[in-house]
Amino acid sequence: MSETASKALGAPAASPDAGRWKALVFIALAQLMVVLDATIVNIALPSAQQDLGISDGNRQWVVTAYALAFGGLLLFGGRIADLWGRKKAFVVGLGGFAVASALGGAATNEAMMFGARALQGVFGALLAPAALSLLAVMFTDAKERAKAFGIYGAIAGGGGAVGLILGGFLTEYLDWRWTFFVNIPFAIVAAAGAYFVIREPEGGRNRSPLDIPGVVLSTLGLVALVYGFTRAESEGWGDSVTVGMFVASAALLATFVIVESRVKAPLLPLRVITERNRGGVYLSLGLAIIAMFGLFLFLTYYLQIVKGYSPVKTGFAFLPMIVGMITGSTQIGTRLMTRVAPRLLMGPGFLVAALGMLLLTRLEIGSSYAALLLPAMLLLGLGMGTAFMPAMSLSTQGVEPRDSGVASAMVNTSQQVGGAIGTALLNTIAASATTAYVADHIAGATSRSQQQLVQLEAMVEGYTSAIWFAVGILVVAAAIALTFVNAGRPGSTPVTGSGSGEGVADEVQIPVVAH
């Protein structure tokens, strides 16, 4: 951010913190822990269910309890980070996450497990926006910001796949409880490092009174939305409770927007989401996550059930995607971000990922990993890594310092809601296609082996049908990024500020990326 823009925004110009690169290590470690947790527990779920005597009807709550708490409280967590200070929120979030993980690992019954998962979600909702907003306020030089967000984007995109590897290894060779206990050293190291290394810039806090109506409406609205999609996956889209949840969510979130436009100190200032570039980022990122989360699930099932891979082998099969994401984010995205407009990385990035997804529509029972899955995963990783990196940076660019926590929370909210939608929507499409295939072909299968073959063919048919939808979703994400995001490269075209706040000029010219 230039000195002029800094003054106009009410933030004093200051030299960059000397320990910012050390701080990045601990911020990245914390982000990795949160992203890992989204997938690592899925691998361990069958073993945990058996040990704790969790019924088939209740097992979804191991995932749902976390998703509801995390998704519902993200905006509140981001606002608390702005109020307390990001460093304090970050350290408290890590400590709470470690305690919740210890409870989960030590669980003796399903109630204790569900409670621990919900508690992880609560502290994750405080930790995740604090981590991203710390990056936003600590890295102000354009080139340094590109590198920092390149690393963060690689972790945000590839961490889920790393979770599959680690979850498979821990479950197969140790015990499912270690998928929880492994968070504790992550949290302790990150919290200790953050406490001693991070020096948060002064003047960025938002000390306005907490918007209680906004907190209640946003939390209930997001919880209803996430639960609606989660329930749709298991009970169907026509289920009365599912429909009721969607109606309630729409009413609550509409009321939330009205309230936010009228209160003096809103939980989510509408200027954060109505600015063209940030709005485009939130929308395109959410759509991309819808496509990605469904794919993780389908490929895991395909490799384990159809191909007969072990949990560990399944995890390692995702390595090309991780390598692609790291390369796309830290090499392509970081090197080009200061040279080209963000939309020219995001749009093509999503299209490259769509090409990788398109390859996977050719999946068959006997498909070769080396010939089909490996190149598809590499393209997916490269595309997503390249797109995620400028998206993460742009999501907090030009935001008033006092709003950086809640702007960061919006990134996580779009990802969390996108994940819930992706899993439910694509699963439903796959299940419908599988059922239709079985109905059409089972009559001709006379022997048990032929019937089993039809079942496997039906599963693959379901996956490819859903993957076609994922391809379309990624193309739409690319179109939104290319249409909505109009920020130029650093130092070229200034972007008008998102709106006015107290004591802030209505229009502030902010050099793009150089936040």
Side-chain angles (χ1 to χ4, degrees):
M1 185 187 290
S2 67
E3 185 176 343
T4 306
S6 292
K7 287 177 180 175
L9 287 174
S15 58
D17 177 46
R20 61 195 179 282
W21 290 108
K22 291 178 185 175
L24 175 61
V25 173
F26 302 112
I27 294 169
L29 189 63
Q31 175 64 14
L32 179 61
M33 181 187 72
V34 172
V35 177
L36 280 177
D37 202 70
T39 53
I40 195 171
V41 175
N42 291 354
I43 296 281
L45 186 52
S47 302
Q49 180 185 356
Q50 188 176 354
D51 272 10
L52 300 179
I54 302 173
S55 68
D56 286 347
N58 285 342
R59 69 180 175 188
Q60 64 160 334
W61 283 101
V62 176
V63 176
T64 305
Y66 178 84
L68 293 180
F70 187 68
L73 292 170
L74 270 167
L75 286 177
F76 183 43
R79 177 66 180 85
I80 290 295
D82 286 335
L83 181 65
W84 285 359
R86 288 109 207 160
K87 176 179 174 177
K88 183 178 179 180
F90 184 72
V91 173
V92 170
L94 282 166
F97 203 91
V99 171
S101 298
L103 288 173
T108 54
N109 54 51
E110 62 178 35
M112 189 172 172
M113 169 61 77
F114 300 156
R117 288 291 283 159
L119 202 58
Q120 279 186 316
V122 170
F123 285 104
L126 181 63
L127 173 61
L132 182 56
S133 56
L134 274 172
L135 279 192
V137 299
M138 290 181 77
F139 288 89
T140 55
D141 175 75
K143 289 186 177 179
E144 286 192 350
R145 187 178 173 88
K147 290 177 184 175
F149 275 90
I151 294 166
Y152 187 89
I155 290 169
V162 175
L164 295 172
I165 297 175
L166 192 55
F169 179 83
L170 292 172
T171 304
E172 195 165 325
Y173 294 113
L174 291 172
D175 185 77
W176 66 266
R177 296 180 184 278
W178 281 98
T179 59
F180 287 89
F181 291 145
V182 73
N183 290 329
I184 298 171
F186 274 97
I188 291 172
V189 171
Y195 183 79
F196 291 109
V197 172
I198 291 177
R199 298 287 179 270
E200 187 180 346
E202 294 294 328
R205 292 215 198 158
N206 184 344
R207 300 181 187 275
S208 304
L210 201 56
D211 170 23
I212 301 299
V215 170
V216 174
L217 288 167
S218 67
T219 301
L220 292 178
L222 288 170
V223 164
L225 183 63
V226 173
Y227 183 58
F229 279 108
T230 304
R231 188 176 173 87
E233 184 186 350
S234 58
E235 303 297 328
W237 296 89
D239 174 70
S240 58
V241 177
T242 302
V243 173
M245 283 294 158
F246 287 136
V247 171
S249 174
L252 286 163
L253 293 177
T255 307
F256 171 69
V257 172
I258 294 169
V259 168
E260 297 308 275
S261 67
R262 296 181 179 179
V263 297
K264 186 177 180 181
L267 173 71
L268 175 63
L270 296 184
R271 60 180 174 265
V272 171
I273 55 174
T274 53
E275 197 275 318
R276 177 173 178 157
N277 290 284
R278 281 194 294 279
V281 166
Y282 298 146
L283 194 53
S284 61
L285 206 55
L287 286 169
I289 293 293
I290 289 175
M292 284 296 289
F293 261 65
L295 181 73
F296 277 154
L297 196 66
F298 297 145
L299 283 185
T300 300
Y301 279 128
Y302 174 78
L303 292 170
Q304 289 194 11
I305 297 173
V306 179
K307 303 295 280 185
Y309 284 21
S310 69
V312 170
K313 190 175 180 182
T314 300
F316 278 104
F318 281 94
L319 267 179
M321 191 184 294
I322 300 170
V323 170
M325 281 187 175
I326 292 171
T327 304
S329 189
T330 63
Q331 299 304 311
I332 301 172
T334 300
R335 292 175 188 275
L336 294 180
M337 186 176 153
T338 55
R339 300 178 186 180
V340 300
R343 68 178 181 276
L344 299 181
L345 290 174
M346 290 175 64
F350 288 138
L351 289 176
V352 169
L355 182 60
M357 199 78 84
L358 189 64
L359 287 178
L360 291 174
T361 60
R362 299 171 57 202
L363 268 184
E364 296 174 354
I365 290 178
S367 293
S368 162
Y369 176 83
L372 181 65
L373 274 85
L374 190 149
M377 287 195 194
L378 273 174
L379 286 171
L380 270 164
L382 277 171
M384 285 296 194
T386 302
F388 268 44
M389 188 260 156
M392 289 290 181
S393 177
L394 202 57
S395 65
T396 53
Q397 176 189 304
V399 177
E400 297 173 23
R402 62 190 178 137
D403 293 336
S404 65
V406 78
S408 302
M410 273 302 300
V411 181
N412 289 285
T413 301
S414 65
Q415 290 178 308
Q416 186 66 22
V417 172
I421 294 171
T423 305
L425 179 64
L426 297 181
N427 249 0
T428 305
I429 293 166
S432 300
T434 297
T435 303
Y437 187 93
V438 170
D440 290 344
H441 295 82
I442 200 69
T446 53
S447 66
R448 183 174 175 80
S449 61
Q450 286 177 328
Q451 289 172 353
Q452 288 175 335
L453 182 63
V454 168
Q455 292 286 353
L456 289 176
E457 287 174 341
M459 286 176 67
V460 176
E461 175 69 20
Y463 300 156
T464 53
S465 299
I467 289 169
W468 271 111
F469 275 86
V471 172
I473 290 168
L474 282 173
V475 171
V476 172
I480 288 170
L482 289 167
T483 306
F484 280 73
V485 179
N486 65 350
R489 64 180 178 80
S492 59
T493 310
V495 176
T496 302
S498 55
S500 60
E502 288 180 45
V504 182
D506 279 352
E507 291 189 343
V508 182
Q509 298 298 314
I510 305 166
V512 176
V513 178
H515 174 56

